[in-house]
Amino acid sequence: MRADASTTPEQACPIAPVVDLVFSRWTTPILWALNEFGRQRFVELERRIGTITPKVLTQRLRQLERDGLLTRTYHAEVPPRVEYEISDLGRSLAPLFATLADWSAENLPKVAEARSAYDSSS
């Protein structure tokens, strides 16, 4: 079936919405960290991810909470404490991440070889 001009990206590629949802710039490292290391505070996530700015981390956490992929728990104590945890919906992505990790281990060296071969022939 060939897509015409009226075909939406979702119709042309049914996984496009999932890719947009899960594989945006910082979503994957955040979900990976929460899945691998469990409930974490903002500062813990920030340290674990390393190069993310506080502003971007805040934006991504809000979006992931809105999407139902993580839960945010506010503890009304002094000082206030907020914790983030991957939700069951977010955890359901773990097999996808495991498959991608397996693919990466097996195939990224092949990608590097292909790039090197391409670059040396140019």
Side-chain angles (χ1 to χ4, degrees):
M1 180 177 136
R2 188 156 189 218
D4 62 30
S6 65
T7 302
T8 66
E10 292 80 12
Q11 292 168 323
C13 178
I15 67 166
V18 176
V19 171
D20 288 344
L21 177 71
V22 177
F23 297 108
S24 64
R25 174 75 169 107
W26 294 106
T27 298
T28 307
I30 292 167
L31 290 175
W32 183 272
L34 291 172
N35 189 60
E36 288 293 307
F37 302 102
R39 182 181 317 135
Q40 295 175 62
R41 295 176 71 175
F42 184 92
V43 174
E44 293 172 304
L45 275 171
E46 188 179 25
R47 282 188 199 130
R48 195 170 304 280
I49 295 169
T51 57
I52 193 168
T53 66
K55 177 184 175 182
V56 172
L57 180 56
T58 298
Q59 292 169 341
R60 295 309 311 148
L61 289 170
R62 286 181 182 156
Q63 185 63 50
L64 290 168
E65 182 181 14
R66 180 176 181 256
D67 293 337
L69 298 176
L70 65 78
T71 57
R72 177 183 182 272
T73 305
Y74 176 81
H75 301 276
E77 51 191 41
V78 179
R81 182 169 50 102
V82 176
E83 295 178 317
Y84 298 91
E85 188 170 13
I86 194 165
S87 67
D88 289 340
L89 181 60
R91 198 170 285 106
S92 72
L93 293 166
L96 173 63
F97 289 154
T99 299
L100 289 171
D102 291 345
W103 186 93
S104 297
E106 183 178 331
N107 292 297
L108 283 182
K110 295 174 189 174
V111 171
E113 288 173 23
R115 287 177 178 170
S116 179
Y118 179 88
D119 292 345
S120 65
S121 68
S122 300

